[in-house]
Amino acid sequence: MDKVAADAFVYAKASGMYSRAFVGERAKKLFEKSHVSDLWSLLFNDDVPLVPEGRLAQLLERRVAEQSAADFVSLVKMYDKPDPLSLAFLSFYDCNNIKTACQSVLSGAEKPYLVNIAPFSSLKTDAWPDIGAMTAGTPYSWFDRVPDEKLRVKWENRLDNQYFMGIWTALNLLSGKDRAAVEDFVREEIILQNVVWALRLRVYYKMSEEEILPMLAGSGESPEVKAVLTEPAAAVLRKPLDSISEWKNWKYFHLLNPEDENGFWQLDPRWLGLKIQRKIYRAAQTRFHQSQFTVGILVSFFKIQRLQEYMIRVAAEGIRMGASENQMNEFVGDLDA
């Protein structure tokens, strides 16, 4: 199929999938259910497996991830020569599969569920539990074993950086029209991810600025790229973590957790991370129909899928944990704000 025809077909097919996705107003249907089995019936047409609810929630999340990956792969395969950016986004699954495979070895669990993105995966998943054999001959061959505790954070960080810098490299290989459709979106996502990583490492791992800066995506690139992608994160490393007034002029101040009723404030990286993800998801939804016949359709659709997976996961966990209807409604309202 030539590119013009493929672009039209992909837009039509992705639009249909988007219209059925449980995001925006449709996401509220997820939070109306009282049992995980009801959630399964809402999402799938087959019979509900006769397993305990905890196991059912696990199967449901796996099924959703599998379907999301299959849908995205089906769109990418419409092109005789898929664009490099869509392939770079697909590497998200390889990176996550490596982390999942390692965690299963560490926990002594049975062979884990790894998301299938054939024919685009570079991993040899059948080689599990030999992590080195899984990654041999791939861009992840450096990840050749289960890292010890001291290395684990650094290796997972390196894996995340490799994913985002792969996206950045692919962005720069695009034609003018395609690049213009997604450049600011991709750039801001990497900047914001660096900000979150920097603050998590600072707050949770008590790392110094000197330790954190080399761990940011883009830190090893040219001075120009390094400045664009890492300087916003470097700037927050010098801000106090207990004085919100010092953050007032920060570009992303509105994403920070508020002071409590007593005026106490301590920066919460988890809150910031959730707000950033929601910002990215909303931008993807806004951009979807503005990016017709460009790679922007696939980029937006990929992020919309991540949003749907996230919403389903939260709904399933909320049901299992017995969250109240008000708690569920507050969550959905916050996400759609």
Side-chain angles (χ1 to χ4, degrees):
M1 187 182 298
D2 66 73
K3 188 175 185 308
V4 173
D7 280 343
F9 187 84
V10 164
Y11 176 63
K13 187 173 181 180
S15 294
M17 293 176 181
Y18 182 16
S19 71
R20 296 187 295 273
F22 288 92
V23 297
E25 282 296 313
R26 278 179 58 82
K28 295 179 181 179
K29 294 180 180 294
L30 302 171
F31 297 89
E32 294 170 354
K33 304 304 177 184
S34 302
H35 303 282
V36 177
S37 56
D38 298 330
L39 199 56
W40 183 285
S41 297
L42 174 67
L43 296 170
F44 313 121
N45 294 322
D46 52 3
D47 293 335
V48 179
L50 299 177
V51 296
E53 192 160 85
R55 175 60 174 164
L56 183 62
Q58 185 181 53
L59 292 176
L60 182 146
E61 290 177 23
R62 289 180 178 181
R63 176 84 171 267
V64 170
E66 182 180 67
Q67 187 60 58
S68 292
D71 286 346
F72 193 75
V73 165
S74 73
L75 296 177
V76 175
K77 286 172 69 175
M78 290 297 104
Y79 295 94
D80 294 332
K81 186 179 179 181
D83 72 88
L85 188 58
S86 295
L87 296 178
F89 271 101
L90 266 173
S91 69
F92 165 87
Y93 290 106
D94 276 348
C95 292
N96 270 13
N97 281 343
I98 292 171
K99 294 177 186 178
T100 300
C102 279
Q103 186 56 44
S104 295
V105 174
L106 283 168
S107 64
E110 61 185 22
K111 184 175 181 179
Y113 171 73
L114 302 176
V115 178
N116 179 18
I117 56 167
F120 300 114
S121 176
S122 60
L123 300 178
K124 304 173 185 68
T125 55
D126 289 341
W128 186 90
D130 187 337
I131 303 301
M134 281 182 59
T135 62
T138 77
Y140 315 101
S141 59
W142 59 269
F143 205 120
D144 57 1
R145 64 188 186 280
V146 176
D148 59 34
E149 189 173 352
K150 290 182 179 179
L151 283 177
R152 201 165 302 143
V153 171
K154 290 186 177 180
W155 277 31
E156 290 197 1
N157 172 265
R158 180 178 173 182
L159 201 59
D160 291 337
N161 283 357
Q162 185 170 337
Y163 167 66
F164 280 108
M165 293 319 298
I167 288 174
W168 184 260
T169 299
L171 172 70
N172 288 284
L173 295 175
L174 296 179
S175 65
K177 181 182 178 183
D178 278 333
R179 180 170 174 171
V182 296
E183 183 170 10
D184 60 335
F185 179 82
V186 168
R187 181 176 58 247
E188 184 169 52
E189 180 178 14
I190 298 174
I191 288 170
L192 289 172
Q193 291 295 344
N194 271 337
V195 168
V196 172
W197 287 339
L199 290 172
R200 283 176 178 163
L201 293 171
R202 184 182 174 192
V203 173
Y204 298 142
Y205 296 94
K206 311 302 180 186
M207 289 188 180
S208 66
E209 182 174 348
E210 291 72 24
E211 291 174 305
I212 293 170
L213 290 177
M215 298 178 72
L216 300 179
S219 61
E221 303 298 314
S222 68
E224 294 80 9
V225 171
K226 181 178 178 180
V228 169
L229 299 182
T230 70
E231 282 190 1
V236 302
L237 293 176
R238 306 180 194 111
K239 290 183 176 293
L241 300 175
D242 58 358
S243 176
I244 196 170
S245 62
E246 297 294 324
W247 295 74
K248 294 289 187 182
N249 295 323
W250 188 45
K251 180 178 180 180
Y252 301 107
F253 174 78
H254 61 288
L255 300 177
L256 294 176
N257 55 294
E259 294 176 304
D260 67 17
E261 62 274 12
N262 298 315
F264 175 80
W265 184 80
Q266 192 80 31
L267 186 134
D268 183 350
R270 182 178 177 277
W271 176 292
L272 178 62
L274 288 172
K275 287 293 186 179
I276 284 173
Q277 286 304 313
R278 292 166 188 174
K279 175 181 174 64
I280 292 168
Y281 293 147
R282 287 195 292 270
Q285 291 176 275
T286 299
R287 287 168 170 268
F288 182 83
H289 291 295
Q290 298 173 352
S291 305
Q292 296 181 36
F293 314 121
T294 72
V295 69
I297 288 295
L298 287 169
V299 170
S300 294
F301 184 69
F302 185 85
K303 291 299 178 182
I304 290 165
Q305 286 184 306
R306 301 285 73 68
L307 171 59
Q308 177 176 239
E309 287 183 50
Y310 178 57
M311 295 296 286
I312 291 170
R313 189 164 59 249
V314 170
E317 286 303 306
I319 291 169
R320 289 206 316 116
M321 300 300 291
S324 69
E325 184 177 347
N326 284 341
Q327 288 173 317
M328 292 289 201
N329 288 338
E330 283 175 11
F331 178 84
V332 178
D334 184 45
L335 185 66
D336 290 339

